[in-house]
Amino acid sequence: MYCGVSEGSARSEVEEDMTVEKENIPLIRVEDLKKYYPVRGGIITHTTGYVKAVDGVSFSVKRGQTLGLVGESGCGKSTIGRQLVGLEMPTEGRIYYDGTDLSLLQKNRKQMRAVRTKLQMIFQDPYSSLNPRKHIYEILAQPMLYHRIADRDTVEKEILRLLDMVGLPKTVLGRYPHEFSGGQRQRIGIARALSLNPEFIVCDEPVSALDVSIQAQILNLLKELQKELGLTLLFVGHGLGAVNYVSDRIAVMYLGKIVEYGDAKEIFNHPVHPYTRALLEAVPIPDPSEKGRERRLLQGEIGSSSCPPEGCRFHPRCPYATVQCRQEEPILQEVREAGVHMAACPVAEFHGA
């Protein structure tokens, strides 16, 4: 009697191995990403310098996960997001989508067009990101018709499905953006991002322009949609509280560089870098009985991206800065054994690591 493995079981094992291998490959991988903007000046206009908005950033995002990108205004968070979806091109570095270098697809317009539908963005301002001259039906229908996600016969059905997903009634289709509240406009922006069946969405501070009560609704909606559709997200924000709520991992940025990176709970509960700890200290205290707690807030302003400090870029504001910090630029390295936790701070072990 023949006791070999059947063709069906062999095929299923191969497919299972391929699925596991695909899950282990990050959907988005960024290597040494840089974005410099030229500064023009002089009597005879010429380039006098560069604004180093992003200066050597590397990270990856696995399928179905959310990476939170947090930091002060001007640190380069939104610039990274725009590059990931193709709105801007990197000065240097590589961006990989599902293992494919996006820079290699720029020469093939057809392939790049197909990939662009998989990379979408939810913008910070829900009003200026929507065309005020078009009603909601046009805003949602035109991308699907252009990319042939739907045709004239099926587009209305798809639009109604999107509105149901984001919690809006079908009666809004003939209305214009100015007729909605901020939270409703952001829901429309989310529906527009979902209209092209994306795999990866950059959420560029999607709740910063909304009331606090509405912020919670939008954050819960994003979490529900991610779970339902299997989305992968990059969530850009200012506050660690909101970022921690939606993220699996967190990357803290300062002046164009990542200074701390790791699992969200680990970063939130055991921050190592002085900048990360300062961001947590700045969060308002909801319990009145804790008002007497000592809070070490940062002094001074964020430095200039066109002329960043030598050594550690945070050292002019750091209470732990040493001579080494002023002379040598730190690199990300493991600071704790439990889980993934990296920080770019040479004195981290001396102040709470």
Side-chain angles (χ1 to χ4, degrees):
M1 181 181 292
Y2 177 66
C3 298
V5 179
S6 66
E7 182 181 351
S9 62
R11 186 184 300 112
S12 63
E13 289 179 3
V14 172
E15 292 176 350
E16 183 177 350
D17 291 341
M18 291 178 64
T19 302
V20 172
E21 184 179 354
K22 188 174 183 180
E23 290 177 351
N24 290 332
I25 299 176
L27 182 65
I28 296 292
R29 181 161 56 92
V30 173
E31 292 184 355
D32 198 27
L33 189 67
K34 297 181 181 180
K35 183 61 179 181
Y36 296 170
Y37 297 98
V39 177
R40 311 283 290 182
I43 298 176
I44 301 176
T45 305
H46 64 285
T47 300
T48 59
Y50 292 91
V51 174
K52 300 178 180 180
V54 180
D55 195 13
V57 167
S58 300
F59 61 83
S60 61
V61 191
K62 292 184 178 180
R63 291 178 179 274
Q65 291 192 347
T66 300
L67 173 66
L69 203 56
V70 64
E72 291 174 285
S73 296
C75 69
K77 309 184 302 297
S78 297
T79 302
I80 290 177
R82 289 195 296 270
Q83 292 178 92
L84 291 181
V85 298
L87 293 179
E88 294 186 13
M89 295 301 297
T91 304
E92 291 183 25
R94 291 285 185 269
I95 298 174
Y96 295 89
Y97 165 71
D98 200 15
T100 302
D101 188 347
L102 293 184
S103 64
L104 300 180
L105 296 182
Q106 297 297 328
K107 300 177 182 179
N108 191 320
R109 187 175 181 181
K110 185 177 181 180
Q111 288 185 350
M112 192 61 194
R113 177 179 170 180
V115 169
R116 286 289 296 274
T117 64
K118 300 298 182 182
L119 308 172
Q120 293 299 309
M121 192 167 188
I122 301 171
F123 295 91
Q124 178 178 358
D125 187 349
Y127 186 75
S128 62
S129 64
L130 300 175
N131 191 330
R133 297 180 179 272
K134 296 183 181 294
H135 48 65
I136 304 310
Y137 181 91
E138 291 179 289
I139 290 174
L140 296 179
Q142 286 184 349
M144 289 190 285
L145 293 174
Y146 178 78
H147 290 282
R148 301 178 182 175
I149 303 296
D151 55 33
R152 293 290 180 184
D153 297 327
T154 61
V155 67
E156 185 171 350
K157 179 181 178 181
E158 289 298 312
I159 290 175
L160 294 178
R161 180 180 65 86
L162 290 171
L163 292 179
D164 182 62
M165 290 174 63
V166 299
L168 290 174
K170 62 181 180 180
T171 55
V172 306
L173 290 179
R175 295 162 61 184
Y176 291 85
H178 72 272
E179 300 180 68
F180 296 91
S181 66
Q184 290 174 323
R185 284 196 293 264
Q186 195 59 287
R187 290 175 185 269
I188 296 168
I190 294 172
R192 182 181 59 181
L194 295 175
S195 65
L196 297 180
N197 300 325
E199 289 187 315
F200 177 72
I201 298 180
V202 174
C203 305
D204 185 16
E205 301 182 35
V207 298
S208 63
L210 306 177
D211 294 336
V212 175
S213 59
I214 306 301
Q215 289 181 13
Q217 295 177 20
I218 298 300
L219 291 176
N220 287 329
L221 175 62
L222 289 173
K223 292 190 69 173
E224 291 171 5
L225 291 173
Q226 181 183 28
K227 184 177 180 180
E228 179 181 348
L229 303 175
L231 298 171
T232 305
L233 305 179
L234 177 74
F235 189 92
V236 176
H238 284 110
L240 272 172
V243 173
N244 177 60
Y245 180 67
V246 299
S247 302
D248 298 290
R249 292 189 176 183
I250 292 177
V252 182
M253 283 195 70
Y254 185 81
L255 213 58
K257 287 186 174 291
I258 292 178
V259 296
E260 190 161 2
Y261 175 80
D263 295 329
K265 291 183 179 179
E266 174 72 12
I267 295 291
F268 196 78
N269 296 322
H270 303 286
V272 168
H273 198 281
Y275 180 62
T276 309
R277 303 176 83 183
L279 290 178
L280 284 172
E281 290 284 349
V283 176
I285 302 173
D287 188 352
S289 64
E290 296 186 14
K291 283 188 176 180
R293 188 184 70 181
E294 181 183 357
R295 307 177 73 187
R296 293 168 293 183
L297 301 182
L298 285 179
Q299 302 297 320
E301 299 292 335
I302 189 171
S304 171
S305 297
S306 58
C307 187
E310 294 184 5
C312 175
R313 300 190 175 190
F314 184 64
H315 85 257
R317 306 172 69 188
C318 180
Y320 307 101
T322 65
V323 175
Q324 180 186 1
C325 297
R326 296 179 178 89
Q327 296 176 348
E328 300 178 11
E329 184 174 320
I331 60 173
L332 281 171
Q333 55 187 345
E334 287 282 353
V335 293
R336 294 179 66 88
E337 295 181 357
V340 177
H341 193 166
M342 307 179 74
C345 182
V347 295
E349 59 181 321
F350 300 115
H351 54 78

